[in-house]
Amino acid sequence: MRRHFISLAILLSAFSTQPAASQIQFHDITAQAGIQFVHNNGAFGKKYLPETMGPGVAFIDYDGDGWPDILLVNSEDWPGHKRTASTLKLYRNNHNGTFTDVTAKAGLAFSLFGMGAAVGDYDNDGHDDIFVTALGQSHLFHNNGNGTFTDVTKASGLWGPDEFSTSAAWVDYDQDGRLDLVVANYVQWSIQTDIRCTLDGTHKSYCTPESYKGSSARLWHNLGNGKFEDATRKAGLYDSSSKSLGVAILDFNNDGWLDILLANDTQPNKLYLNKGNGTFEEIGVTAGIAFSEDGIARAGMGIDAADYDRSGHASLIISNFSNQMISLYHNEGNGLFIDEAPRSEVGRNSLVTLGFGCFFFDYDNDGWPDIFVADGHIEDQIERVQKRVKYAEPSHLFRNLGGGKFQEVTESLGAAFAAPHVARGAAYADIDNDGALDLLVTTNGGKAHLFQSAGVTNNSLRVKLVGTKSNRDGIGAVVRITSGKNEKQWQMLRSGSSYLSQSELILTFGLGNQTKADTLEVQWPGGQLEKLSNISGGQTVTIEEGKGVVTSRPYSKSATVKNAAAK
């Protein structure tokens, strides 16, 4: 068993930089923001498995104006049961807390049984593109740079696979400067092969994935000419036993090569170690993340990675089914992860909830990554057979207290935020350019909820990356900062994570009461190191590979002003 050792210096540092966060609130501004999206899951009484899985969401600055826009993924009616037209939805950020539906204008009024989305500039033209996963054929939409998108699925070589695709992530796994694509796949399901399952012995219920065969994830290698090749088998990722819902990218052993982590539902989680030669080795069991502590393959949904305790190593969070609790895998730095959830409030408070979207993010800007989990069951009649488990459930927000400890603060963040939902996808972005992160959560068969942060008084520094030799988005780059008395933080810019969703491609560093980053280092994919110093907080800086800071944009209003307005 791992010995827990926390130095007094670390504890004092953690708590001295963390003022009380009780004044922070998340206000549901969905209606006044103009977001009228309602997810169509296609349900009409047959209880087909895919109905209950979506939808995802993505933040994307599609027009390059520096303000995050919103893409909401939708599903559609089943054949022979047409009730309502439903498409993807793209909302443009108006810079004033409101959004405008530009779906048709952007060429994205596209119908499919969509699941999730991943954002990345796959052709390095300076405009972020969108990959949408689906039941059936997934689609790649190329950003034309003029506010419109073109479906390039066939032209890019991605056409063909008829799969139940879920989460996806862009990653330059071979360090050639071009973004490749990893796509998680769930199970082999069709209307024709649908199975009747029941909870109470009478009524049909949604089947567990154990009723269906698994399906391998896919790795698409970017050839650099707008085309991709299927490198799944060649790279060593093929595994037809997987039933993957979440995908995260990390460098778990700090060797400079990006690894791939898959959250599997009722199958062991998979960790693919990048060997640096275009191939991967699956090491989930030896790394300790494949099973629970008692050797059970849990129902993994969402996933994320971050250094939550400043150990220098990326640890993990995986959301699981009800009665399984969240997994909080601490990276020991020796090739092994240990699940801290059973000994943590994170585990105890999540035992009976069913988590989907999840991520580390610093909601109070104190410099310590907190944990958000979107909850909601899949079976609307679950309370008939399990009295403690609910269909609609509140989300979890666990505040990082430092020293590896977390405290749930959900109920203190506002009644709307703590209300129960049948939540699925979740992502974060600073929608109003005030330096504090806001949240967007989707619900199955229901509305999306945009939560605006208010009352954050700590300072922050936001970093946008532009690669030149590296991929244009800088995905895979690691940024390290120091501030104050040896306060050290680092983050990797990553695509994917959470569940079916994509957060903004900008890094936000909470500074606490510090006003600047004394040092800032960017380690670009491929190893180039860029060192800067005395970078003021209260702004978003754009760092171009080889050129340092090329632009800086102050926040629109200070967190203090926002807090006063909230009061």
Side-chain angles (χ1 to χ4, degrees):
M1 180 179 294
R2 184 169 76 97
R3 295 181 62 188
H4 295 265
F5 176 77
I6 304 170
S7 71
L8 179 61
I10 292 176
L11 280 173
L12 290 175
S13 171
F15 290 108
S16 65
T17 58
Q18 296 191 5
S22 58
Q23 74 274 17
I24 298 175
Q25 299 277 285
F26 280 102
H27 300 300
D28 189 337
I29 64 165
T30 312
Q32 55 264 46
I35 297 173
Q36 300 176 343
F37 175 85
V38 177
H39 175 235
N40 175 21
N41 60 15
F44 66 100
K46 289 290 187 179
K47 295 220 168 182
Y48 290 149
L49 177 63
E51 296 169 355
T52 191
M53 304 309 295
V57 60
F59 282 108
I60 174 175
D61 182 8
Y62 84 99
D63 53 1
D65 64 357
W67 295 77
D69 310 299
I70 292 172
L71 176 78
L72 288 155
V73 180
N74 215 340
S75 301
E76 60 183 346
D77 293 325
W78 295 110
H81 295 274
K82 297 295 182 182
R83 297 172 300 173
T84 181
S86 54
T87 70
L88 302 171
K89 286 292 182 181
L90 180 65
Y91 287 91
R92 183 180 183 274
N93 192 325
N94 296 324
H95 310 179
N96 60 2
T98 67
F99 292 77
T100 298
D101 185 343
V102 294
T103 310
K105 182 179 179 180
L108 289 176
F110 196 90
S111 295
L112 75 172
F113 206 97
M115 288 289 159
V119 173
D121 184 0
Y122 76 88
D123 57 353
N124 291 329
D125 66 354
H127 309 291
D128 280 334
D129 311 297
I130 302 169
F131 182 75
V132 177
T133 63
L135 173 68
Q137 178 65 58
S138 299
H139 286 263
L140 176 62
F141 296 96
H142 178 261
N143 189 333
N144 300 318
N146 59 3
T148 68
F149 291 82
T150 299
D151 184 352
V152 295
T153 311
K154 289 185 178 179
S156 67
L158 295 174
W159 187 268
D162 185 357
E163 295 169 319
F164 191 165
S165 298
T166 52
S167 298
W170 295 98
V171 54
D172 182 7
Y173 75 92
D174 55 356
Q175 297 185 7
D176 64 357
R178 300 185 292 266
L179 289 176
D180 312 297
L181 181 66
V182 57
V183 182
N185 288 313
Y186 195 30
V187 296
Q188 298 180 37
W189 180 94
S190 67
I191 294 176
Q192 292 73 27
T193 60
D194 183 64
I195 299 171
R196 187 182 190 278
C197 298
T198 179
L199 281 175
D200 59 11
T202 302
H203 303 92
K204 185 181 180 185
S205 65
Y206 292 105
C207 293
T208 72
E210 294 165 304
S211 303
Y212 300 97
K213 293 180 180 180
S215 183
S216 177
R218 283 188 187 266
L219 180 64
W220 295 96
H221 178 240
N222 191 334
L223 298 175
N225 55 1
K227 293 185 180 297
F228 293 80
E229 65 173 352
D230 187 347
T232 310
R233 292 182 182 271
K234 180 171 64 175
L237 258 71
Y238 185 82
D239 183 350
S240 61
S241 70
S242 286
K243 300 176 181 181
S244 303
L245 290 175
V247 57
I249 306 301
L250 74 160
D251 180 4
F252 102 100
N253 58 354
N254 292 339
D255 67 351
W257 294 91
L258 297 180
D259 311 304
I260 298 172
L261 184 64
L262 296 176
N264 279 334
D265 189 357
T266 71
Q267 286 291 309
N269 299 318
K270 305 290 185 181
L271 174 57
Y272 290 94
L273 175 66
N274 192 330
K275 298 172 70 174
N277 60 1
T279 68
F280 294 80
E281 177 186 0
E282 204 287 300
I283 59 168
V285 173
T286 58
I289 59 92
F291 303 99
S292 65
E293 283 192 328
D294 52 1
I296 303 300
R298 288 182 279 194
M301 308 293 182
I303 192 167
D304 196 20
D307 182 4
Y308 70 81
D309 63 347
R310 299 186 182 176
S311 67
H313 307 285
S315 296
L316 312 173
I317 184 171
I318 302 177
S319 57
N320 295 307
F321 211 78
S322 54
N323 300 310
Q324 293 182 341
M325 77 173 54
I326 293 167
S327 305
L328 181 61
Y329 287 109
H330 182 264
N331 189 333
E332 300 291 287
N334 58 4
L336 181 66
F337 291 87
I338 292 181
D339 190 359
E340 298 286 359
R343 293 169 289 279
S344 165
E345 192 165 315
V346 172
R348 293 191 297 270
N349 287 25
S350 64
L351 178 59
V352 298
T353 54
L354 199 169
F356 279 92
C358 65
F359 45 75
F360 294 98
F361 81 129
D362 189 358
Y363 87 100
D364 54 0
N365 283 340
D366 65 358
W368 294 81
D370 311 296
I371 294 172
F372 175 80
V373 184
D375 296 316
H377 211 276
I378 64 168
E379 179 56 63
D380 57 2
Q381 302 297 317
I382 188 62
E383 294 172 48
R384 290 185 177 183
V385 293
Q386 296 187 42
K387 300 301 182 183
R388 293 197 307 161
V389 179
K390 307 297 182 184
Y391 180 50
E393 302 170 328
S395 297
H396 294 295
L397 202 158
F398 297 98
R399 185 180 183 225
N400 190 335
L401 302 178
K405 296 187 180 300
F406 292 87
Q407 178 185 28
E408 179 149 22
V409 294
T410 307
E411 291 186 357
S412 72
L413 298 172
F417 182 77
H421 298 290
V422 186
R424 294 294 184 265
Y428 60 82
D430 181 4
I431 64 166
D432 48 6
N433 188 39
D434 70 346
L437 292 173
D438 311 292
L439 300 175
L440 184 58
V441 180
T442 65
T443 64
N444 182 260
K447 299 178 179 179
H449 294 273
L450 180 60
F451 294 103
Q452 183 182 43
S453 173
V456 178
T457 55
N458 284 325
N459 299 318
S460 69
L461 171 65
R462 288 166 48 79
V463 180
K464 176 178 173 58
L465 301 175
V466 177
T468 51
K469 294 180 180 179
S470 306
N471 67 85
R472 184 63 177 259
D473 283 321
I475 289 174
V478 174
V479 179
R480 297 179 175 89
I481 72 165
T482 63
S483 59
K485 296 182 179 179
N486 203 30
E487 294 285 330
K488 297 181 179 180
Q489 303 178 53
W490 69 273
Q491 296 182 48
M492 177 187 286
L493 185 67
R494 293 173 296 119
S495 170
S497 287
S498 189
Y499 171 77
L500 308 181
S501 298
Q502 169 80 59
S503 295
E504 64 177 351
L505 292 175
I506 294 179
L507 299 176
T508 299
F509 288 91
L511 298 177
N513 58 12
Q514 301 297 316
T515 59
K516 66 177 181 178
D518 298 314
T519 65
L520 187 154
E521 293 183 357
V522 183
Q523 185 173 336
W524 296 93
Q528 180 177 345
L529 188 64
E530 200 154 348
K531 297 184 178 181
L532 307 168
S533 60
N534 294 320
I535 308 296
S536 297
Q539 62 176 342
T540 301
V541 295
T542 300
I543 299 175
E544 186 173 338
E545 187 175 10
K547 294 184 178 180
V549 176
V550 293
T551 65
S552 59
R553 184 179 67 162
Y555 297 155
S556 297
K557 53 185 178 178
S558 71
T560 303
V561 171
K562 186 175 185 177
N563 184 33
K567 290 180 179 179

